[in-house]
Amino acid sequence: MNPMVWKRTISAKALEKAKSAAVKVEDKVIFIANVNGTLYAMDAVCSHARCILGFLDEEKLTVRCPCHLALYDLKTGKMLEPPYVAPDAPKEKLGLKTYQIRDNNGWIEVDL
């Protein structure tokens, strides 16, 4: 079992104000969100055409890619709707990885 490797991303205050952000952490881009005090983290690069995710729906806990509108579940990373340009895309194979996330003394950290 691998030990947790927590990496600092953004200040908790900035995330609270922005609600979500795509941040570079080492060689990855991670989409992080604060929805009513619950933190979420997942890969931010869409598995379809490598665009950076960006449209958070706080009510449905989803995030949509701005390029071709693929929709992902914020909790699981599962693709819920394929990109409109590839309606037959294998959704079950195009999900994104999710990460453990925490607030550590005012800084949001993810476990890579």
Side-chain angles (χ1 to χ4, degrees):
M1 192 163 165
N2 293 335
M4 291 189 150
V5 180
W6 293 101
K7 298 291 181 179
R8 186 179 282 189
T9 63
I10 188 173
S11 76
K13 187 171 268 192
L15 182 60
E16 193 174 311
K17 192 172 195 168
K19 299 288 186 201
S20 66
V23 295
K24 188 158 175 51
V25 184
E26 293 187 352
D27 63 340
K28 299 179 184 291
V29 181
I30 308 291
F31 183 86
I32 57 175
N34 179 341
V35 180
N36 299 319
T38 301
L39 299 172
Y40 300 92
M42 65 189 290
D43 282 332
V45 180
C46 182
S47 56
H48 169 245
R50 316 306 294 161
C51 295
I52 303 297
L53 299 179
F55 300 124
L56 172 67
D57 184 326
E58 293 181 68
E59 197 172 295
K60 294 179 182 173
L61 293 178
T62 58
V63 61
R64 191 173 291 280
C65 178
C67 294
H68 303 110
L69 306 180
L71 185 69
Y72 296 89
D73 184 303
L74 193 56
K75 297 178 287 185
T76 66
K78 181 179 176 186
M79 181 184 276
L80 301 173
E81 293 176 17
Y84 72 84
V85 294
D88 297 328
K91 293 186 295 189
E92 63 281 352
K93 294 182 180 177
L94 293 173
L96 297 172
K97 183 177 179 182
T98 58
Y99 299 90
Q100 296 282 333
I101 186 168
R102 70 181 183 187
D103 182 334
N104 185 14
N105 293 319
W107 287 97
I108 303 302
E109 296 178 338
V110 294
D111 174 28
L112 295 185

